[in-house]
Amino acid sequence: MNKIKLLFSAVGLVAASNALADVYQGQRERWLEMAENCKPELVETIVRPKGVVAPVADNSAYQNWRFDFLGNPDSLLYNQNFKDIKEITLDFGDHYTGYFTFSTKTLSRCQDAPVRICIFLGENPAELNTPLEPWPGTLSRAWMQDETVTITQVDQEITIPRRMAFRYAKIRLLGASPDFDFAINDVYAKAYTSAANNGESLLPDCPDRIRRIHDVGLATLRECMQTVYEDGPKRDRRLWAGDLYLESLANSHSFKNFNLTKRCLYLFAALADDDGRVLSNIFETPQPHPQYFSHCLTYSLLWNSTLLEYLKDTGDEKTAADLWPVAKKQIEEALEYVDNRGIFNRSLKDSYMWMFFDWREGLDMEVPMQGAVICALNQTYELACMLGREQEIKEWPAFSKKMQNAAKKFLFNKNSGVFLSGPEKQLSVLSQAWMIKAGVISEKQAQKALKISLDREDSYKPGTPYATHYLVESMILCGMHNEARSYLLEYWGGMVDKGADTFWEAYDPADDFISPYKFAPLNSSCHAWSCTPVYFIHKYPHIFQKAEE
Ligand code: RAM
C-alpha cells in the first residue's frame, strides 16, 4: 500500500471509530428540534396576597409551625411606615410558581440612603420559620428562596429575577435610614404553568375526601408543568426521567398535554450519552443539556415505559418509531447486568450506574431491580409489537421468562412467602411491589407477600410518595382494591390533613421531619412524583370514585 492509501485508510478508521463513539450520531440535532417544536406556551396569571399571617410555634402543627390569619395587606401593610412594621408574612392563599414583584413609596422627607430588605418565599410555614444557619442540609443552601434586595431607589417596582415556588412571602427590614420613611404599597406575582385547562371532572358522587386529594394532586401537577415536566418548581427545577413517567401518567388523565410528554421524550433521546444511555435528568438552560454522567438505570428504563404509554395514549407511531432505537438500547444496556442464572447482578459491569427506587435509607435494590428489568423488558416488547418491530428482539419474551423463573427460584422465600433482597435477605415492601408489577407470582401469593411486608415491623416501608405510587399500583394489580383505596386515602389524605396545598417530595405519616437531605425545609413541598392520585382516581373510578358504603 502506498503512503497516500495508508493515510486514507487511517482517516477512514478514525471516522469509523468516531461513528461508533456516538450511537445516535446524525439524529441528535433533529431530535432537539422536535423537542423545541413541542415547547409549550406558558399561561400567565397575576396573583396578589390574600392575607397577612402570624407565625405560631405549635407542636400539634405539621413540622411544629402554623400561620394564623391577621388581616389583609390593605390595612396591615400598604401605605404604612415599613420601619414600624419591620417584618411581615403574606399569604397568597395557594401555591404559585413565578416571579415576585413589590413596589415602595416614600412616605416622608426624601430617600437619602439605600434600603435593604430580605424577601423569603416559602411553600409552607416551617420553611419560613426554621433557622437556616448553621446550614445542616446536604444539598446547596442556595436552594432556599431568601433574597436580599438593596433598594437604591424607592418609588418604583422591583421584581426578583429568580423564579420562585411559594405560597408565603416573608419580608424583613435589614437596614434603612433614620431620615426618611417609606411604605411597601403593592405586592404581586406573575405565576406560570403550561397546564392550560382544568383537567377532567370526577363522577358526581365521588366522595369529598377523594375529590380533595384529587384537587391537591392536580395542583401539584399544574405547578410542575412548565416548559418541561419539572420535578419540583422549588427544587430541583428540572426534568427527571422517573418524575417524567409519573407526571405523564397523571397528565394522560387530566390536562392531556401530550406534546409536553413528546418534548420530554425527545429531550432525553437527544441528550443521551454517547453509548445511547438515557441520562437521569436534564436542564433546559442556557442550552438543553443533561446532568453529564448521571446514569440511573431505573430511570432510563422508565423512559421506555413513558414512550409506551405515550404511544397508547396518542397513537403517534411516527414518534414512537423514531425513538424506538433508544428504547431498544436501554434494554440492551440493562441486560448486560443479568447473569447466567437470569438474576440482575450489579457487579457484572463496573461502570458508574445508579439505581433509584426510594429515598428510604438502607433499602436493598437487588429484588426491586430484578422486577424493574422484567417490567421494562415486557413493556418494551409490547412497544415493539405495537410498532411491528418484534422480529428484532424475538428472544426477549424467553429472556423475561428466564428472569421471572430465576426470581422465583433464587429470590423468593417459599417458607415465609416473601421476596428477600441482597446478602442480608432484606424484607421490604418495594421488593414485593416490583415483583408483583413484573408478574412473577400469582395473585394470591402477591397479596400475602404485600400484607406480610406491610405488617412486619422489621420490613423497609416506602419513604416517599414516589415509592408509594408503586405500592398502590401493585395492590391494584393483585386485586387488593379496598386496600389500595384505603392506602391512598390515608397516605395522601394524611398530607391534606396536615395542610398540603400541593403534595410533598417526602412523606412518612410517622415522621413529619423526614428528609432525604437531612433538613426538612430543603424538601420540595410541591413535588411532581407525588401527584399520581390524579392518575389512580381517574384510571380506576370503580376503586377510588365510588361513593362510601
Ligand atoms: C431528587 C429529585 C427528583 C428525583 C431524584 C432521584 O433530587 O427530587 O425528583 O427524581 O432526586
Side-chain angles (χ1 to χ4, degrees), residues 11 52 113 122 134 227 243-244 419 501:
V11 170
V52 174
T227 44
D243 303 63
L244 159 67
F419 288 93
D501 307 296

Side-chain angles (χ1 to χ4, degrees), residues 72-119:
N72 58 52
D74 280 329
S75 50
L76 296 175
L77 174 65
Y78 302 149
N79 300 311
Q80 322 243 347
N81 186 356
F82 197 66
K83 283 170 22 191
D84 294 339
I85 296 174
K86 294 191 182 66
E87 179 171 313
I88 196 162
T89 304
L90 302 171
D91 178 0
F92 280 74
D94 220 332
H95 189 283
Y96 294 105
T97 301
Y99 295 89
F100 181 89
T101 298
F102 66 100
S103 46
T104 47
K105 151 172 148 188
T106 308
L107 287 183
S108 71
R109 291 172 287 173
C110 132
Q111 180 174 18
D112 65 335
V115 173
R116 179 166 292 173
I117 60 173
C118 173
I119 299 200

Side-chain angles (χ1 to χ4, degrees), residues 231 235-236 240 243 299 354 356 359 505 517 527 529:
D231 59 334
R235 211 215 77 246
D236 298 333
W240 283 86
D243 303 63
Y299 274 22
W354 179 30
F356 180 82
W359 283 121
E505 173 180 21
Y517 322 107
H527 215 66
W529 70 19

